[in-house]
Amino acid sequence: MGIFNNILESFFSGFSGIGQQQQDRRQSESTKGEDIRLDLKLEFREAVFGCEKQIKIVHLENCSICSGSGAKPSTRPRTYIEEKCENCNGSGLNQVTKEMKITIPAGVDSGTRLRVANEGDAGLHGMPSGDLYIYLFVQPDND
């Protein structure tokens, strides 16, 4: 079906902006921030009874000075940035280490994937952040 849609999109791209709308949608989806994967080992008892874990992630966040625009404060972005934000060098993003507490539900198995929405890398120019995916690996019971 995808090939058929691409052929129709190519054919009708000049009529009523159909092709442009789909292309715009794909471009906006492609600027969403990247998802991040974190592997987390759990003791057997933590997996059985559930627990809270303190984790650290390194990810991109919108620059706190320019709010992700890349433009120097008190200036406005245009087609190009006239004066770059000094904090992020005009990228609109900074790499930060963030600590957070997550709750591990009782009864998880190895291979369980937890999703933490919007905790991946920030999107470009204010687009939505990606997600953090935590993959759990349960250690064997030593008792």
Side-chain angles (χ1 to χ4, degrees), residues 13-33:
S13 64
F15 301 101
S16 71
I18 293 171
Q20 185 64 41
Q21 290 171 353
Q22 290 179 347
Q23 183 178 5
D24 290 345
R25 189 183 79 235
R26 275 196 302 264
Q27 286 175 344
S28 69
E29 289 170 357
S30 68
T31 56
K32 177 184 175 211

Side-chain angles (χ1 to χ4, degrees), residues 16-137:
S16 71
I18 293 171
Q20 185 64 41
Q21 290 171 353
Q22 290 179 347
Q23 183 178 5
D24 290 345
R25 189 183 79 235
R26 275 196 302 264
Q27 286 175 344
S28 69
E29 289 170 357
S30 68
T31 56
K32 177 184 175 211
E34 294 291 322
D35 293 334
I36 296 176
R37 176 184 172 143
L38 175 74
D39 292 344
L40 184 63
K41 291 181 183 178
L42 296 177
E43 298 295 325
F44 181 77
R45 291 183 187 277
E46 291 175 321
V48 170
F49 298 109
C51 62
E52 285 190 342
K53 296 291 261 186
Q54 191 76 20
I55 62 170
K56 280 186 182 180
I57 59 170
V58 177
H59 70 160
L60 295 173
E61 288 188 355
N62 283 320
C63 175
S64 60
I65 304 298
C66 68
S67 301
S69 73
K72 186 175 180 177
S74 76
T75 66
R76 293 177 23 173
R78 298 184 184 187
T79 307
Y80 63 94
I81 296 173
E82 293 175 6
E83 294 185 56
K84 292 181 181 179
C85 171
E86 294 171 6
N87 189 51
C88 64
N89 198 30
S91 72
L93 302 171
N94 286 322
Q95 189 169 20
V96 298
T97 300
K98 181 177 184 177
E99 290 189 30
M100 60 178 29
K101 189 180 290 188
I102 59 165
T103 301
I104 308 296
V108 296
D109 293 324
S110 279
T112 298
R113 180 181 78 170
L114 303 177
R115 177 179 168 257
V116 184
N118 301 315
E119 288 296 341
D121 285 339
L124 294 176
H125 308 294
M127 295 304 290
S129 295
D131 298 326
L132 169 63
Y133 289 96
I134 302 169
Y135 288 81
L136 304 178
F137 296 92

